[in-house]
Amino acid sequence: MSIFAAFASMAAPASMHPDVSKMPWMNKALSPDRRADLVIAQMTLDEKIQLVHGTHWIVHRDGQDVPAHSNYGAGFVPGIDRLGIPGINMADSAVGVRVSTFQGRYATLLPSTLGAASSWNPQAAFLYGSVIGRELRAMGFNMSIGGGVDITREPRNGRNFEYAGEDPLLAGTMTGNLMKGVQAQHLMGDVKHYAFNDQETGRTIYSADINKRAARESDLLAFQIAIGIAHPSGVMCSYNRVNTVYACENHWLLTDVLKKDFGFKGWVLSDWGGTHSTVKAALAGLDQEMPSDKYFGEPLKQAVLAGKVPMSRLDDMDHRILRSMFAAGVIDDPPTPRTVINPFRGRDDAQQLAEESMVLLKNEAHLLPLQASSIRSIALIGSHADVGVPSGGGSAQVNAPGGNAIGPGAHAGESIYFPSSPLKYIREHAPAAKIDFNPGTDPAAAAALARTAQVAIVFVNQPMQEGMDRPTLALPHDQDALVAAVAAANPHTLVVLETGGPVAMPWIDKVQGIVEAWYPGIGGAQALADLLFGNVDFSAKLPVSFPRNDNQLPHPEIAGITATTASKTPVFFDVDYNKAGAAVGYKWFEMKHLKPLFPFGFGLSYTSYAYSGLTVDRDGHTATLTVRNTGQRAGAEIAQVYAVLPKASGETYKRLVGFDRVELAPGESKRITVPLNSLCLSVYDTAKDTMLRLPGTYTILAGPSSADTPLRASFVQAH
Ligand code: BGC
């Protein structure tokens, strides 16, 4: 079928208007589970099989047939017209709706999810998801396959920009609220990649080797928290192996932990090509093979007929899919008709999110805010800051309006740029100043321009994408030399980082200011200019530690990177997760007595805050403290509460157990009560196979960052 014929058939599929009066499952008063069972009772074996796999790899390749009702997203599962069940149209949408050819001419590029996690603001995460949900609906999709929550165990991981940082509570809370925002638009969502897909190097062949306790208190805890908040329709199992067994056929992960312990009611879909077997995967808990039918098409049908996979298990797969469709509302309120998305609303939301996501890391001698009325000259240097801002690549890549703003780019593997020009918006703020741009490709020329200006702003970037990691924390393309040259030429140098994750900064002592802007999205330059000139205050704090160098990491060299690049034939290898165990990020630094470059939870603002009066209730459910704005302007402070568990935990580090974002007028004080997450206060007891609180004394600490916790209180957990 041509794509035009397919489009026509999608617009008015006659068979999608069946007689609803004969379909008791269309009764909205029944529970999603009951409705699913009523449908399953009517389904033939072929129909049951049809729902548990996709049609094939991306359907818009030249020469391929387009299945009716497919929306040309990353995945499509045909529905069952005679029963009124629509197809499942899945779209990648980690940081905005991904390139999706026919339906995806424009989508809002949001700041990276790692950037959004820097807001520590669950409402911002919800807004983030709402934008994605709104636009998916407008385009006719009914499922988002964004929702990445793999924690930052490997800061050089190419996909960290799609995730929400190194801490299970922060990452789980932000991703859960994001997906809640998507699903509030009556769409289905998922969380991914379950689990331990924390590096891209060898992602289809490595085994993450980790003991159960560490697993439950780190990566899996982030999933547990996100799932508990969002109740997502799907969980996407990952490509890698876990304790030598592929994640998508790992009974412990999929059934024991996810479905039984977490009580997950939705369905497990495999990452694209991540299914490796029929019977083993089906019995382990995989519910849907994506994107094709190699194992869950005819082979699954035969396995069911032969009794190797019980019919009850196939029914369970279908039940999970159908109950999620009913629960999300995609059957009662399908995303039709299509509309043109509202790019203006999306851009405004993206700007607001970017304002809350950029982190002020250094601001000596009040370099910032720049004074619009008095500044005479600014040298703007590097990272195509004259035309736009970079975006993350891979399956999170959003289409840039007008095409890549920098054309083919100067370097292989350079990011795709979006037309949000820092030069333009900085000029708007200081129309009387002389503001010149230098591309930064020749450090000497850049330094010459910097020397003539009152302030030099150097933009540096770190392109990141799925399928590859950065081999080191160093900035690529000699950008360290560029910063050093500019800083030597101008004492008032500000560095703006446009990075996917943490980077090393050998020039840190030579520059006066540093802003981490991440991949800031389509409203990024406007947000940055507003922050630099002080129209908006910085409030964000780091969701990841910034190490000084690669040697501080559990794996100074990315596990497997030499083996996988040296050999063309895949060789299985192990990544020793037990080295850090549950001590990921700031916990690792504390345990090893290492001082990072910038600690987790750190971020400056134009005002200042004081903390006092910490108390904790007898049972350790809440902590109460006072935060006061001691500065001259209004701001929002992210207050953090940590716990050190009783000695019996064996832990020599603290854990984040609660946080709150408090808005304060100058001089204002607020007494806030922060709920303490019970799971974060628990350990996993392997013998009892459960999360529990150890008896003993818990020290509760509070303050502005993981490295600055001036307040202390405690509570005792009885036996
Ligand atoms: C990625 C997933 C993505 C899928 C579909 C895979 O390569 O790992 O995150 O959703 O492709 O595009």
Side-chain angles (χ1 to χ4, degrees), residues 153 195-199 202 205-216 218-220 238 240-247 250 252-253 554-555 559-560 572-584:
R153 273 184 182 269
F196 308 101
N197 184 181
D198 305 317
Q199 64 176 55
I205 50 175
Y206 75 75
S207 171
D209 297 333
I210 185 161
N211 68 70
K212 286 189 178 170
R213 176 176 166 194
R216 294 294 299 265
S218 60
D219 303 52
L220 297 184
S238 55
N240 53 289
R241 297 174 301 138
V242 180
N243 295 326
T244 73
V245 181
Y246 281 114
N250 192 312
W252 168 66
L253 268 186
H555 299 279
F572 279 5
F573 66 93
D574 297 325
V575 185
D576 182 11
Y577 272 46
N578 288 321
K579 199 163 174 207
V584 176

Side-chain angles (χ1 to χ4, degrees), residues 57-58 73-75 90-94 98 144-146 148 159 162-163 190 192-193 197 200 203 236-239 269-273 290-291 394-396 466-467:
W57 283 86
I58 304 176
M90 303 176 181
D92 276 308
S93 37
R98 182 202 177 184
S144 160
I145 48 170
R159 298 189 85 170
E162 298 183 51
Y163 303 147
D190 84 340
K192 68 184 186 185
H193 306 87
N197 184 181
E200 289 297 280
R203 68 174 174 172
M236 186 190 293
C237 54
S238 55
Y239 285 127
L269 59 153
S270 73
D271 199 343
W272 270 225
M290 288 306 291
S395 59
E466 176 184 344

Side-chain angles (χ1 to χ4, degrees), residues 251-273:
H251 193 279
W252 168 66
L253 268 186
L254 305 185
T255 297
D256 301 344
V257 176
L258 178 65
K259 291 181 178 175
K260 292 198 177 134
D261 273 12
F262 296 176
F264 172 62
K265 289 194 163 68
W267 84 94
V268 178
L269 59 153
S270 73
D271 199 343
W272 270 225

Side-chain angles (χ1 to χ4, degrees), residues 130-154:
S130 312
V131 176
I132 291 173
R134 247 170 26 215
E135 299 191 358
L136 285 171
R137 261 193 99 80
M139 292 181 205
F141 289 103
N142 59 8
M143 184 167 186
S144 160
I145 48 170
V149 71
D150 300 270
I151 59 173
T152 315
R153 273 184 182 269
E154 176 44 79

